[in-house]
């Protein structure tokens, strides 16, 4: 099956803990992204990687760091979570270029207590 | 700067009614405009893509029209079904693969 896969589906943690989310795509794309979707369903890009190189790094807190081992994998680590980090984190992939369709995974829902 | 605005946060229709969702955008370049749809529990998926070259797009009974003069972009469907219940996003695409999502319009269909 060719798609974008994310794990875990759901994660509950406490303030100050470290969390890590995984994303893998089997579509053969060379670019991957992380988006944050808040409780009002607003989606904003956080990072994008092209062939393991960071291309876009929007203004996100430094506790967020993307990690890429190869062009099919892009993980997201949050060093010390805050309550405002509660959201759905969506991974996407595409071929390089602003006009290409991005394919999204189902998301990881994070709840920070 | 680049921005996208969807004023309709929620739309409720009965089956077979006409759907119209409007979107305005601001950009200094030559964007590609998309409509993405998100069903509950899933990530967004592409519904339509429109470039400045063709001004219109259609898919699954939905039609999108792009008016560069008024910098507006709208989505319409002649007859909605219950299965169309979802959140619809107007999206601006520009350099380096960046997508700017509108606020989203939640479509609810009364059976």
């Amino acid at each position: 099956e060719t798609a974008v896969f994310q794990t875990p589906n759901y994660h509950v943690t406490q303030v100050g803990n470290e969390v890590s989310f995984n994303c893998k795509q089997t579509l053969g794309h060379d670019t991957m992204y992380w988006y944050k979707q808040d409780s009002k369903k607003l989606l904003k890009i956080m990072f994008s990687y092209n062939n393991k190189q960071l291309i876009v790094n929007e203004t996100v807190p430094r506790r967020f760091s993307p990690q890429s081992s190869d062009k099919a994998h892009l993980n997201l680590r949050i060093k010390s979570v805050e309550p405002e980090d509660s959201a759905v984190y969506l991974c996407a992939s595409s071929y390089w270029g602003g006009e290409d369709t991005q394919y999204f995974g189902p998301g990881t829902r994070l709840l920070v207590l | 700067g680049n921005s996208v605005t969807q004023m309709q946060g929620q739309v409720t229709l009965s089956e077979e009614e006409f759907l119209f969702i409007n979107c305005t955008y601001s950009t200094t370049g030559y964007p590609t405009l998309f409509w993405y749809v998100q069903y509950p529990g899933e990530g967004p998926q592409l519904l339509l893509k429109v470039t400045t070259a063709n001004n219109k797009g259609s898919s699954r009974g939905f039609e999108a029209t792009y008016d560069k003069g008024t910098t507006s972009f709208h989505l319409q469907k002649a007859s909605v079904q219950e299965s169309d219940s979802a959140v619809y996003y107007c999206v601006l695409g520009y350099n380096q693969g960046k997508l700017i999502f509108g606020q989203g319009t939640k479509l609810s269909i009364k059976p």
Side-chain angles (χ1 to χ4, degrees):
Chain A
E1 186 187 0
T2 53
V4 180
F5 302 93
Q6 290 187 242
T7 56
N9 295 325
Y10 187 66
H11 188 79
V12 182
T13 190
Q14 294 188 328
V15 171
N17 284 350
E18 178 175 314
V19 298
S20 188
F21 304 145
N22 301 313
C23 180
K24 177 181 85 169
Q25 57 94 3
T26 56
L27 296 161
H29 292 153
D30 56 6
T31 307
M32 296 184 71
Y33 313 82
W34 278 106
Y35 287 83
K36 181 180 179 181
Q37 185 171 40
D38 65 21
S39 58
K40 295 181 180 178
K41 296 287 191 180
L42 194 61
L43 267 153
K44 284 193 176 176
I45 189 166
M46 301 173 70
F47 303 100
S48 72
Y49 264 74
N50 173 248
N51 279 321
K52 293 169 55 181
Q53 299 287 327
L54 180 65
I55 303 299
V56 169
N57 181 0
E58 295 297 307
T59 310
V60 297
R62 294 181 69 176
R63 61 181 179 277
F64 288 84
S65 58
Q67 299 166 319
S68 178
S69 57
D70 56 55
K71 66 178 184 180
H73 295 82
L74 183 65
N75 299 331
L76 181 67
R77 187 178 73 165
I78 314 174
K79 257 187 180 175
S80 177
V81 296
E82 300 284 339
E84 61 265 29
D85 299 336
S86 294
V88 176
Y89 292 88
L90 289 155
C91 177
S93 72
S94 74
Y95 292 113
W96 174 245
E99 294 188 3
D100 203 77
T101 301
Q102 292 185 18
Y103 293 81
F104 285 80
T108 294
R109 182 176 295 277
L110 173 66
L111 179 60
V112 180
L113 301 175
Chain B
N2 299 293
S3 66
V4 172
T5 303
Q6 272 177 269
M7 297 302 292
Q8 299 152 283
Q10 177 137 1
V11 172
T12 302
L13 297 171
S14 298
E15 279 194 309
E16 299 183 7
E17 283 195 310
F18 173 71
L19 170 68
F20 183 90
I21 303 174
N22 195 39
C23 172
T24 58
Y25 69 92
S26 171
T27 182
T28 55
Y30 296 93
T32 296
L33 294 164
F34 305 83
W35 284 97
Y36 275 77
V37 58
Q38 186 175 25
Y39 298 101
E42 299 181 12
Q45 57 182 267
L46 179 70
L47 178 60
L48 282 167
K49 170 180 164 180
V50 178
T51 65
T52 53
N54 58 23
N55 292 341
K56 276 190 177 182
S58 62
S59 172
R60 303 187 234 169
F62 289 88
E63 187 175 281
T65 305
Y66 168 15
D67 185 335
K68 194 176 173 186
T70 59
T71 62
S72 66
F73 184 52
H74 69 255
L75 179 72
Q76 63 185 56
K77 187 176 184 184
S79 176
V80 295
Q81 304 300 315
E82 196 173 351
S83 57
D84 294 327
S85 296
V87 179
Y88 292 81
Y89 292 95
C90 171
V91 182
L92 173 68
Y94 63 111
N95 65 303
Q96 296 186 331
K98 284 189 181 182
L99 295 183
I100 297 178
F101 281 74
Q103 294 85 343
T105 298
K106 183 177 181 181
L107 174 64
S108 300
I109 307 296
K110 295 180 286 187

